[in-house]
Amino acid sequence: MRRMTLDEGRKLATAVRTPNPSLSAVRPDPSPAILDLVERPFRDVADAHERLSALEALLYEREDRRAAFLTIYARVTAEVHDGLAHDTFDDPAWVAEYLVTFADHYRRAFHAFERGVFDEVPDPWRLSFETSLRGDALVTQDVLLGINAHVNYDLALALSEVGIDPDRRRKYADHRRINHVLRSLVDDEQDLIAARYADGVADIDDSLGRLDETLSFLTLREGRRNAWRGAVVLTDGRYGPIKRAVRWYLNSLSMGAGHFILAPTANTAVRHRLERLEDGDDGP
């Protein structure tokens, strides 16, 4: 196999980092009410849930498809918050900080995008936000693009920031307990998306793959496992190049997954068929 030249490697890295040109013309319409919800860091889990829910309601009212991911995310935040109140975790203080730090990654990306400061928006979030604003993907894809950006890109960074030491094994056990919370919500989440956005979400299973199986892949199995591994490398890595390589890997992984999520609707005829199914229209 021929080795890649240095110039080819640079071109590949640039291609991975450069958002899809077809999405670059999409711009938000900044709103003071929206900006007010995401301007300040979250104080605690309750504040994160309250503001995420308010943002979801405001976007939904404006028919802004970025609301679809928040419909899921606000529900997850509420469930983990409830787990903190019922002694689900060994280290509730760490889980609470973890949740807030993680949510703040989303908040910062959304705030930068809303203000038009696109250089501060991570590539997978830009792909997610611009696709949702463009409004021509499936609602299911809007949701999955948000999950992809948050889990495959943000989570490792958030874990390394909040810290996985001391008692790394104990913290990993709590990290896995959140997986159980997510797994318990899969059916409810699918019902929420069907009720609020697309009656036929369940009917696209055979065409796009079951939503719950895809969520499982992105959030419960590979995504969260890889995020912990990334946090370990970011924590244990002694040299700057190692940390930069991890960030490059997270960006490349999440951008690749994002385009994979969009792949089924790249064909116009297939997209129209899936749109009809998602809307509950199974006619010809």
Side-chain angles (χ1 to χ4, degrees):
M1 181 180 293
R2 185 178 67 86
R3 279 191 170 187
M4 182 182 295
T5 67
L6 182 60
D7 184 56
E8 288 171 335
R10 287 171 177 161
K11 287 179 180 178
L12 176 60
T14 300
V16 168
R17 276 203 49 82
T18 302
N20 189 326
S22 66
L23 304 179
S24 300
V26 179
R27 294 291 184 267
D29 182 15
S31 157
I34 288 176
L35 288 172
D36 183 61
L37 288 170
V38 294
E39 188 171 11
R40 304 173 308 283
F42 296 124
R43 296 187 306 273
D44 50 34
V45 178
D47 180 47
H49 176 248
E50 181 180 345
R51 283 199 269 155
L52 288 170
S53 298
L55 180 60
E56 189 268 345
L58 189 56
L59 294 176
Y60 182 77
E61 179 185 331
R62 298 178 180 214
E63 298 184 347
D64 185 327
R65 290 267 292 269
R66 289 177 295 175
F69 166 71
L70 281 171
T71 297
I72 301 298
Y73 191 36
R75 178 78 174 85
V76 169
T77 305
E79 197 70 16
V80 178
H81 189 204
D82 184 67
L84 288 168
H86 290 87
D87 299 323
T88 301
F89 304 102
D90 285 342
D91 190 344
W94 179 78
V95 172
E97 187 180 359
Y98 163 176
L99 198 68
V100 171
T101 302
F102 189 32
D104 236 24
H105 274 263
Y106 169 80
R107 181 197 61 79
R108 289 198 303 268
F110 191 98
H111 186 230
F113 184 83
E114 196 67 13
R115 289 181 296 127
V117 187
F118 301 115
D119 288 346
E120 295 180 11
V121 183
D123 290 347
W125 275 121
R126 187 166 177 183
L127 179 65
S128 172
F129 294 148
E130 291 180 335
T131 299
S132 293
L133 281 180
R134 202 170 74 248
D136 60 357
L138 301 173
V139 173
T140 308
Q141 290 172 307
D142 289 328
V143 172
L144 293 177
L145 285 173
I147 292 171
N148 168 60
H150 206 33
V151 173
N152 284 328
Y153 184 79
D154 289 345
L155 185 53
L157 303 177
L159 282 166
S160 68
E161 288 168 21
V162 73
I164 59 174
D165 293 322
D167 297 322
R168 185 178 294 189
R169 183 173 296 180
R170 185 184 182 203
K171 289 179 171 63
Y172 182 62
D174 276 343
H175 176 73
R176 287 176 58 84
R177 288 187 179 96
I178 295 177
N179 293 352
H180 298 317
V181 172
L182 295 172
R183 186 178 295 114
S184 72
L185 292 176
V186 165
D187 289 338
D188 287 346
E189 290 167 348
Q190 183 162 315
D191 291 343
L192 276 171
I193 294 301
R196 289 178 70 80
Y197 302 98
D199 293 340
V201 160
D203 296 330
I204 67 171
D205 288 351
D206 291 337
S207 302
L208 191 59
R210 285 187 54 81
L211 175 60
D212 54 355
E213 290 174 0
T214 311
L215 285 171
S216 229
F217 172 77
L218 290 171
T219 63
L220 304 180
R221 190 169 67 246
E222 298 302 330
R224 291 182 59 82
R225 185 183 301 159
N226 282 336
W228 184 268
R229 290 169 178 162
V232 168
V233 177
L234 287 168
T235 301
D236 295 345
R238 296 175 55 190
Y239 304 106
I242 293 176
K243 297 180 185 294
R244 289 194 294 274
V246 172
R247 287 179 174 269
W248 180 88
Y249 168 76
L250 295 174
N251 187 76
S252 301
L253 172 68
S254 52
M255 286 299 285
H259 287 290
F260 179 79
I261 289 166
L262 291 172
T265 51
N267 180 284
T268 302
V270 172
R271 184 177 74 247
H272 289 165
R273 171 61 177 160
L274 291 174
E275 285 170 350
R276 290 197 300 273
L277 287 171
E278 192 175 70
D279 290 338
D281 176 11
D282 57 358

